[in-house]
């Protein structure tokens, strides 16, 4: 008797399975489930664009409508990955144009996207609806014009922190008059001015527009007229908030803000002048997300603003908020889930000294839903970390950046080992952790012992020896991404734990003590990994004992990639001993 | 060009990790072997602290208004030879004595006012005209009005 469910029934059941993690599990059950699942998956996530080939993805998921891709490793955000390393979107777009022309959504992160790519998208995907580019580069406003003119059903166009060659603000005028489907537009990262009239026309014919993020160049005056055209906005990113307006203009703008009854998210606010902060008061009670990371406002004004934001769930702010300001947040923003505090000085000793560990302790005490923290400050204490862990065992993401490398507990002068021990021991669901300050191998023993749910770990200027890496690779069962810079371990731990690397997405190490010989050995031992040695200053001959600058190791089904630049070595390029690829004068 | 930046101060792996004392840490800092700003003393590195390019650019071009709503008076303090300085709020001190006491504690060495000699770390300051002066010569209140930054000199300098 055949007990298998007919595929139509399976399909119906799978249509309720949304999360890709679940779908991945479903596809492992048996062949028929694998088949049915793959034929019904619409949203595909490829978190490392070199882990699999575009052709394989297109082949497996013929009904794909939405593709999310990630390219460069995370440390590329901090200038650690040289230009030209890779992460090209073109092969993916080319393959999908041919094999998945019904594609509707493309979300790319840390990839190189050229104007050719954008033109190809515009020309190939007739039903294209959403383009979201995060931390991408390589294209110009000409490419945007191509998208604007051709994608008749465009709903989302979002450029988040991209580096765009700005050839002028004309691209906006390429949206045809017939385009009325826009839901989300984000051009906040562009430098040049867009024509206000183009923008106003676009906004006024987009009744479904829910999210609008302007660039710095859009004046306060222009903002007023745009808000009047789109009072239904749920997300707003303002332009520069510093032009001098006369009384009438100010009251008009104030009125426009009070009309934003649906607003939940506010960002932008570049250079906001203190006298304009009250303009925002009317939207504060409704806000769930507030990004003040470019608002150079001092603490008292921040307190005035934040004490009105009783529903705030996500707050990004500069350290100008100081401990006192965070105390105010603690008492006013009880729904807070995510807090990020950024430095107000790019230099270690330009940070605001009135922001200490105490600020974070206050918030951890008073905000029961706090799950995610990113905190830059000058120094920290073990006591504070212990208190935070005790207050907030539900923390899922803790990223602490003590700006001064090797800074000990400033009260006891001890390493911060015990503090981070409390964090990993107390916060049992911790998934992401960034550590800093003075740390010995002990800290990593604790993390290895207790950080069982830890998926992503970032480390800089820490540890004493190989033991540090060994603890992490042998202890952290759920470890998926590990990124390390300027730590003193060597080859042993890496080679001993080679098998672990196949269970992880990727490992990044820069300015550590790993030798070229170890990289070769690892490559030979683990054929399913790509072991990339990234070296912008290679020696003419490379003895096995020589240290490598940077290594990026990731598991892959696609084998060696074909687009490696000169400064990337893998064993597939140069299996011979000793000779660097760049052996030129 | 040698890969001078891929060794850390701890590269001779001493498994016995006794907790480093503060002076050890500051020695490591002054060796600056891995700290990104090895080239120029206090030049901002492009990869530390770990902030994204847009924020980094914004901070660089930022003209932060130093005017504060409290009476804090922050100045930078450097110890000669150490690339990392500290920031100090001078308004929290009652006078030279408490300032010296605090600095001595902060830098883990005895800091004095007075003439430079072979033995002591001496405190100097840069005034609003840009000149470097000995600390302690003028009344405390006047000092607060004119001081812009502090430097602790090493002994044995002429």
């Amino acid at each position: 008797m055949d007990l298998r469910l007919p595929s139509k029934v399976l399909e119906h059941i799978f249509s309720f399975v949304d999360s890709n993690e679940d779908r991945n599990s479903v596809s492992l059950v048996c062949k028929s489930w694998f088949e049915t699942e793959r034929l019904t998956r619409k949203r595909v996530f490829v978190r490392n664009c070199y882990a699999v080939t575009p052709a394989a993805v297109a082949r497996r998921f013929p009904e794909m409508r939405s593709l999310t891709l990630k390219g460069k490793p995370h440390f590329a955000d901090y200038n650690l990955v040289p230009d030209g390393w890779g992460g090209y979107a073109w092969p993916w777009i080319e393959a999908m144009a041919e094999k998945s022309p019904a594609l509707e959504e493309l979300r790319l992160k840390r990839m190189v996207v050229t104007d050719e790519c954008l033109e190809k998208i515009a020309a190939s995907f007739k039903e294209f609806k959403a383009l979201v580019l995060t931390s991408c580069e390589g294209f110009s406003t000409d490419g945007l014009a191509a998208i604007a003119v051709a994608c008749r059903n465009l709903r989302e166009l979002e450029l988040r922190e991209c580096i765009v060659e700005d050839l002028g603000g004309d691209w906006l005028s390429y949206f045809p008059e017939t385009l009325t489907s826009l839901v989300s537009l984000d051009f906040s990262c562009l430098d040049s001015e867009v024509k206000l009239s183009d923008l106003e026309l676009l906004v006024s014919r987009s009744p479904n527009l829910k999210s609008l993020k302007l660039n710095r160049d859009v004046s306060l005056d222009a903002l007023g007229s745009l808000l009047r055209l789109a009072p239904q906005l749920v997300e707003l990113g303002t332009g520069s908030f510093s032009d001098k307006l006369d009384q009438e203009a100010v009251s008009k703008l104030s009125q426009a803000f009070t009309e934003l009854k649906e607003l939940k998210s506010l960002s932008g606010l570049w250079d906001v002048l203190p006298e304009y902060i009250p303009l925002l008061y009317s939207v504060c009670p409704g806000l769930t997300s507030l990004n003040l990371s470019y608002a150079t406002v001092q603490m008292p004004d921040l307190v005035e603003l934040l004490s009105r934001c009783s529903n705030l769930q996500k707050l990004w702010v500069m350290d100008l908020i100081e401990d006192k300001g965070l105390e105010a947040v603690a008492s006013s923003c009880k729904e807070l889930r995510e807090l990020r505090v950024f430095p107000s000085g790019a230099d270690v000793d330009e940070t605001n000294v009135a922001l200490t560990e105490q600020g974070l302790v206050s918030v951890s005490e008073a905000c029961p839903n706090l799950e995610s923290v990113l905190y830059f400050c000058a120094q920290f204490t073990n006591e504070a970390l212990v208190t935070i862990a005790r207050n907030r065992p539900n923390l899922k993401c803790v990223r602490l950046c003590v700006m001064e490398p090797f800074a000990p507990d400033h009260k006891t002068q001890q390493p911060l080992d015990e503090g981070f021990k409390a964090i990993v021991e107390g916060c049992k669901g911790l998934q992401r952790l960034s550590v800093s300050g003075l740390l010995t191998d002990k800290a990593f023993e604790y993390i290895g012992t207790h950080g069982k749910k830890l998926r992503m770990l970032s480390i800089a200027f820490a540890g004493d020896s190989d033991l540090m890496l060994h603890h992490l690779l042998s202890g952290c069962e759920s470890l998926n991404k590990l990124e390390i810079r300027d730590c003193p371990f060597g080859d042993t731990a890496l080679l001993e734990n080679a098998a672990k690397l196949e269970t992880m997405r990727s490992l990044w190490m820069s300015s550590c003590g790993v030798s070229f010989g170890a990289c070769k050995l690892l490559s030979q031992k683990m054929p399913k990994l790509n072991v990339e040695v990234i070296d912008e200053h290679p020696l003419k001959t490379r003895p096995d004992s020589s240290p490598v600058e940077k290594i990026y190791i990731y598991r892959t089904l696609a084998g060696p990639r074909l687009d490696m630049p000169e400064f990337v070595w893998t064993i597939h390029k140069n299996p011979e001993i000793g000779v660097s690829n760049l052996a030129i004068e | 060009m040698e890969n001078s930046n891929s060794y850390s101060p701890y590269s001779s792996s001493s498994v016995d990790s006794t907790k480093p004392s503060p002076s050890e840490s500051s020695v490591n800092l002054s060796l600056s072997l891995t700290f990104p700003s090895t080239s120029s003393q206090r030049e901002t590195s492009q990869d530390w602290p770990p902030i994204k390019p847009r924020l980094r650019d914004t901070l660089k071009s930022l003209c932060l208004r130093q005017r504060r709503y409290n009476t804090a008076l922050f100045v930078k303090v450097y110890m000669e030879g150490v690339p990392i300085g500290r920031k100090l709020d001078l308004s929290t001190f009652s006078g030279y004595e408490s300032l010296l006491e605090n600095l001595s504690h902060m830098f883990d060495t005895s800091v004095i006012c007075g003439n430079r000699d072979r033995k002591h770390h001496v405190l100097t300051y840069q005034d609003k005209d840009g000149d470097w002066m000995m600390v302690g010569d003028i009344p405390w209140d006047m000092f607060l009005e004119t001081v812009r930054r502090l430097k602790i000199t090493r002994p044995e300098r002429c």
Side-chain angles (χ1 to χ4, degrees), chain A residues 103-104 118-131 143-157 174-176 178-182:
Chain A
L103 193 69
E104 295 176 3
L118 297 177
E119 284 154 19
K120 187 79 168 163
I121 292 169
S124 317
F125 305 116
K126 297 297 164 215
E127 293 300 318
F128 201 69
K129 294 195 169 63
L131 182 65
L144 295 178
I147 296 281
V149 80
C151 300
R152 319 225 137 234
N153 296 308
L154 196 67
R155 286 206 206 127
E156 297 171 37
L157 178 59
Y174 283 81
F175 282 109
T178 49
L179 184 88
T180 56
S181 48
L182 213 55

Side-chain angles (χ1 to χ4, degrees), chain A residues 247-260:
Chain A
Q247 257 311 111
E248 201 199 324
V250 169
S251 69
K252 266 190 173 170
L253 187 56
S254 176
Q255 184 59 31
F257 268 101
T258 56
E259 297 301 320
L260 299 175

Side-chain angles (χ1 to χ4, degrees), chain A residues 60-81:
Chain A
R60 181 172 167 188
F61 301 111
E63 294 303 309
M64 172 170 53
R65 293 290 175 270
S66 164
L67 177 61
T68 302
L69 288 171
K70 292 190 187 177
K72 301 184 200 178
H74 173 240
F75 270 1
D77 282 353
Y78 314 129
N79 287 329
L80 284 171
V81 178

Side-chain angles (χ1 to χ4, degrees), chain B residues 91-104:
Chain B
S91 69
T92 62
F93 303 117
S94 51
Y96 290 116
E97 233 176 78
S98 63
L99 170 63
L100 288 174
E101 210 177 284
N102 191 281
L103 284 176
S104 300

Side-chain angles (χ1 to χ4, degrees), chain A residues 428-432 450-456 478-479:
Chain A
K428 303 212 189 302
L430 196 69
Q431 290 179 5
R432 184 167 178 183
H450 299 287
K452 294 306 179 190
K453 295 269 159 71
L454 211 52
R455 295 177 57 81
M456 182 169 176
S478 312
L479 198 59

Side-chain angles (χ1 to χ4, degrees), chain A residues 402-454:
Chain A
V402 176
M403 307 259 295
E404 194 178 309
F406 312 116
D409 176 323
H410 68 88
K411 284 195 182 141
T412 65
Q413 301 308 316
Q414 298 302 304
L416 291 178
D417 298 344
E418 298 303 314
F420 281 109
K421 176 186 184 200
I423 293 282
V424 287
E425 225 183 350
C427 306
K428 303 212 189 302
L430 196 69
Q431 290 179 5
R432 184 167 178 183
L433 178 64
S434 301
V435 296
S436 54
L438 183 65
L439 295 166
T440 71
D441 285 344
K442 262 242 159 272
F444 300 99
E445 188 189 324
Y446 297 143
I447 296 174
T449 308
H450 299 287
K452 294 306 179 190
K453 295 269 159 71
L454 211 52

